Amino acid sequence: MRKTFFIMALGALVCSCSQPAEQTADYQVVPLPQVIDVAADASPFVLKSSTKIAVANDSLIREAQFLQEYVADLTGHQLKIEPNADKNVIRVEATLDNSNPDAYQISVDKDQIVINGATNAGTFYGIQTLRKAIPEQLIPSNVAFPAGMVAAAPRFGYRGAHLDIARHPMEVDSVKSFIDMIAMHGINKFHWHLTDDQGWRIEIKKYPKLAEIASYRPGTMVGNNWEEFDTIPVSGCLTQEQAKDIVRYAAECHIQVIPEIDLPGHMVAALEAYPELGCTGGPYKAWQKWGISKDLLCAGNDSTYIFLDDILNEICDIFPSQMVHIGGDECPKDRWKECKKCQAKIKELGLKSDKNSSAEEKLQSYVMARAMETLSKRGRRAIGWDEILEGGATGDVVIMSWRGTEGAEIAAKSGHDAILTPVQYCYFDYCQGPDRESEPVSIGGYLPVEKVYNFEPISPEFTPEEAAHILGVQANLWREYIKTLSHSQYMELPRLAALSEVQWLQPEQKNYDQFVDRARRLTKHYDAAGYNYARHIFQPTDSIAQ
Ligand code: ACM
Ligand code: ZN
C-alpha cells in the first residue's frame, strides 16, 4: 500500500516535471523589425515538440536546419523537417516580393508561422528574428508566438564586422563561433584581416616561407609596456583548406568573407620571410610590439609586383567574395624616399609632387593600382583604407573610411563607393567602460554603446547621389591586446547590437532607451550561446561620458 502510494507520487512528480513551461515570444528584438503588427485577440501559434518545419524547396534546407538547431537549443524540442507538413508548422520560404534581397516577412496565425524572404538570405534573417523572439533558453518549454505580422529590410547592403587574426591567431572553431555571433546580429560581411607586421596567417602555396617563417614571432610586448617582452611564441597559419571551410560555413550564414592582404605597409612579418622584397634588404623580424613600421614592400622592385600578383591570385582562389581588401593604411614614406629603386620607379613613371600629394604618395597609388589590376582580371573589386586617397585613388576602388568620416565624404563626392568604419564610433578595441583600470588591458580609448548607437553614417551635406555611394557600416576588432575568443566577445557585445541597428534601421526608427530594453533581452541569447559580454548599459550606475 505504501509502496503503491510512493509510485503514484513519483509518477505525478515525473509528469509535472516533464510538462514543458510556456514562454511568450516578443518580436521586439535587435535589430528591431520595421513592422510588428500583433493581433492581440487572435490565438497564438504554439511551438511544441510536435511542431514541424516545412521547406518550400531544397535550397532552403540549410536555413531550416539552422532554425531546427536554434529551437532545440532554446526549448529542447527537436523539430522534424517535413516537406508536406500541414498544420502546426513553421514554413520556410523565399518568394517575398521585395526589391531588397535581405527583406523578410514573418506571418503568424494559430496554425502556422510563415518565414518568407526576398531571397534565402532574407529568410535567414527572418529565422534570426524568430529565434531572438524566444525570450530565453528554457528546457523544456513551449513558445507562444503572438499572431500577426513582422517584417524588415535593412537600410544598408554592406553590414560589416572585421576581425584581426594577424596579431593573435584564432582556431577555426573560434572563427566559426565569431561568425555565428555576427550572424545573430544580421551582419553579412566578414572582413578578415589576415596579415600584418606581427604575423602572416594564410597559406600561400607559391611562397611557403610565409607559413614557415612569417607566421611566427618569439614573443610579444607585455600589456601596454613597450619596453617589456614575454618569451611566449605566437604562431599559426591557416591552410587554404581551413580558410575554405570557414568561407563555406560563413556562406551558410549568408556572410561573405572579405579577406584583407594589407599592402604595401604592415608587411614586416612577410619581409622576414622574403627580405629581398624590402627597400633595405633587411634583415627583418616579425614585430613583437604594436605600432607603425617604416619598412614597406619596395615599390621599385619588380619582384614585389610578381609577389602581389601571385598572392592576390591565390587569395581569389580561396575567397569567392566580390570584394578583396588590399589595405593601404599607415605607410610612412621614409624608406621609399631613401631607396634608389623606389626613386628610379618614381622617375620612370614620371610621378611629381604637387600641392595635393607627394611623389611617394603617388607611388603608393601606383602600387595599389597594380594590385587592383590583378583583382579586376579576376572580376573582383578592391577595398582600401582611406589613406589611399592621399596619392589619388584610381579605378573602381571602395574607400574604407577609418580616420573619421572625411574619407567617405571625399570618396562619395568624387564618385567612389565608401564604407564607414570611423575610429570614433566603430573601433571596438576601445574600452567598453569609462574607467580604463576596471576594463581588460586594451589599446585605450572609450567607446560606449550609446555612441555606437547614435552614429549616423550619411552626412546631411550629401546629395542623394553622394549618399548612394555609402555602401554601409562596419565595426573593427583589432586584436593587439585581445588574445582569446572570450575577450573578443566581450569587446564586441553589446556594441555589435548597437551597430546592427545602425546597419538595419532608418534614423527615425532608432530610440536608444528602447534599444537598451531590447539589448537586455538579447543578452538571454548571449547567455544561451555562452558569450562573454559587457554589462555597463544594464547597470543603473552607468554614466556615458562621450
Ligand atoms: C587602421 O586602423 N590602421 C586601418
Ligand atoms: Zn624601395
Side-chain angles (χ1 to χ4, degrees):
M1 182 71 178
R2 281 179 63 180
K3 195 173 168 194
T4 313
F5 172 76
F6 176 73
I7 289 169
M8 279 167 63
L10 191 68
L13 198 66
V14 167
C15 238
S16 75
C17 285
S18 61
Q19 270 305 316
E22 185 161 303
Q23 315 190 56
T24 300
D26 184 341
Y27 304 124
Q28 303 271 336
V29 301
V30 176
L32 182 68
Q34 278 96 358
V35 178
I36 301 178
D37 234 343
V38 170
D41 13 328
S43 303
F45 177 90
V46 180
L47 183 154
K48 41 189 177 286
S49 59
S50 57
T51 299
K52 306 282 190 300
I53 300 174
V55 286
N57 62 62
D58 284 354
S59 84
L60 286 160
I61 296 251
R62 186 65 186 107
E63 285 75 14
Q65 286 169 343
F66 274 118
L67 176 62
Q68 198 180 31
E69 287 164 26
Y70 299 144
V71 169
D73 191 46
L74 293 168
T75 70
H77 298 322
Q78 307 286 339
L79 307 190
K80 291 210 168 59
I81 300 178
E82 279 188 14
N84 300 319
D86 175 5
K87 283 195 171 163
N88 184 19
V89 61
I90 305 176
R91 297 189 187 287
V92 175
E93 303 179 351
T95 56
L96 185 68
D97 185 14
N98 193 306
S99 59
N100 188 325
D102 295 339
Y104 68 84
Q105 181 177 298
I106 305 170
S107 320
V108 184
D109 65 30
K110 69 179 185 5
D111 294 326
Q112 63 176 8
I113 296 179
V114 181
I115 306 171
N116 198 3
T119 61
N120 287 21
T123 310
F124 183 76
Y125 300 125
I127 288 169
Q128 293 300 328
T129 288
L130 198 79
R131 160 208 196 177
K132 287 179 279 189
I134 298 174
E136 63 179 329
Q137 185 179 50
L138 187 57
I139 297 174
S141 67
N142 295 343
V143 185
F145 287 88
M149 209 259 280
V150 175
R155 181 182 183 194
F156 293 105
Y158 186 109
R159 303 182 298 279
H162 151 291
L163 181 72
D164 161 19
I165 62 157
R167 272 53 181 262
H168 292 286
M170 253 197 195
E171 298 295 326
V172 169
D173 283 349
S174 297
V175 178
K176 287 186 181 173
S177 169
F178 186 87
I179 287 169
D180 286 336
M181 180 183 75
I182 65 177
M184 183 190 272
H185 294 84
I187 286 167
N188 67 348
K189 307 284 185 227
F190 172 44
H191 169 178
W192 205 5
H193 187 78
L194 293 164
T195 67
D196 217 302
D197 298 314
Q198 296 79 9
W200 185 283
R201 308 273 170 240
I202 180 78
E203 175 193 26
I204 301 292
K205 293 191 195 288
K206 268 203 181 158
Y207 296 88
K209 285 194 279 185
L210 292 171
E212 287 157 20
I213 296 172
S215 70
Y216 173 85
R217 67 174 186 267
T220 303
M221 65 180 264
V222 176
N224 297 112
N225 185 353
W226 295 75
E227 308 300 325
E228 189 189 346
F229 295 85
D230 65 31
T231 52
I232 305 166
V234 176
S235 65
C237 191
L238 291 163
T239 65
Q240 296 198 355
E241 280 315 308
Q242 286 173 319
K244 284 181 189 168
D245 177 37
I246 286 168
V247 167
R248 267 191 302 270
Y249 183 69
E252 289 175 2
C253 299
H254 295 277
I255 292 172
Q256 238 179 45
V257 183
I258 298 178
E260 180 186 355
I261 301 297
D262 201 350
L263 64 98
H266 288 284
M267 274 282 175
V268 178
L271 288 175
E272 180 179 351
Y274 296 98
E276 63 277 17
L277 299 177
C279 291
T280 65
Y284 305 98
K285 282 278 164 208
W287 269 27
Q288 302 187 41
K289 62 181 177 188
W290 320 124
I292 301 172
S293 169
K294 289 180 180 165
D295 287 309
L296 321 178
L297 291 172
C298 176
N301 186 341
D302 289 343
S303 311
T304 292
Y305 299 99
I306 296 167
F307 177 74
L308 292 178
D309 188 61
D310 288 340
I311 284 174
L312 291 173
N313 269 307
E314 289 198 31
I315 288 291
C316 287
D317 293 340
I318 306 166
F319 298 95
S321 58
Q322 195 224 341
M323 295 195 260
V324 173
H325 203 303
I326 51 174
D329 59 322
E330 299 177 326
C331 298
K333 304 299 185 297
D334 310 57
R335 297 281 187 265
W336 286 6
K337 280 189 182 138
E338 290 158 10
C339 172
K340 284 201 181 95
K341 286 199 247 177
C342 285
Q343 289 303 315
K345 192 77 182 172
I346 285 174
K347 223 168 158 188
E348 176 198 321
L349 296 169
L351 304 177
K352 301 225 160 24
S353 299
D354 59 29
K355 64 179 189 341
N356 298 320
S357 321
S358 67
E360 287 76 20
E361 284 167 342
K362 290 184 180 174
L363 183 60
Q364 181 174 344
S365 290
Y366 173 77
V367 176
M368 304 315 286
R370 290 285 299 262
M372 284 167 59
E373 213 176 284
T374 302
L375 294 179
S376 104
K377 279 190 200 143
R378 298 292 303 263
R380 313 299 180 89
R381 207 173 171 202
I383 307 178
W385 297 109
D386 60 36
E387 283 93 333
I388 67 169
L389 290 164
E390 288 165 1
T394 55
D396 185 30
V397 64
V398 178
I399 304 299
M400 191 164 267
S401 187
W402 74 275
R403 292 177 299 177
T405 53
E406 297 78 9
E409 282 151 27
I410 296 168
K413 286 182 190 302
S414 61
H416 285 286
D417 286 346
I419 295 158
L420 277 150
T421 174
V423 63
Q424 306 90 321
Y425 299 97
C426 295
Y427 269 44
F428 288 4
D429 52 341
Y430 281 20
C431 292
Q432 285 265 19
D435 175 17
R436 186 170 175 174
E437 298 308 310
S438 60
E439 294 295 319
V441 176
S442 78
I443 198 162
Y446 171 41
L447 176 54
V449 176
E450 185 169 5
K451 189 165 178 185
V452 178
Y453 191 81
N454 288 328
F455 175 48
E456 171 46 48
I458 305 284
S459 157
E461 323 262 280
F462 280 163
T463 64
E465 292 73 32
E466 288 162 359
H469 282 296
I470 304 301
L471 304 182
V473 184
Q474 171 177 295
N476 294 343
L477 193 65
W478 298 104
R479 292 179 55 249
E480 284 96 330
Y481 298 89
I482 304 169
K483 294 184 181 165
T484 64
L485 175 65
S486 168
H487 188 181
S488 304
Q489 292 163 349
Y490 176 85
M491 301 308 279
E492 293 278 0
L493 305 175
R495 290 188 286 208
L496 211 54
L499 179 84
S500 80
E501 296 219 342
V502 177
Q503 294 171 328
W504 274 76
L505 271 57
Q506 300 296 333
E508 63 278 8
Q509 292 162 336
K510 287 164 67 188
N511 177 310
Y512 180 69
D513 291 337
Q514 291 170 8
F515 162 77
V516 173
D517 289 340
R518 291 196 289 279
R520 187 180 283 109
R521 287 197 291 277
L522 182 61
T523 61
K524 298 287 185 186
H525 290 269
Y526 294 169
D527 292 335
Y531 298 155
N532 183 15
Y533 56 94
R535 289 163 165 79
H536 309 73
I537 62 166
F538 309 120
Q539 288 158 1
T541 50
D542 182 42
S543 64
I544 309 281
Q546 305 227 4

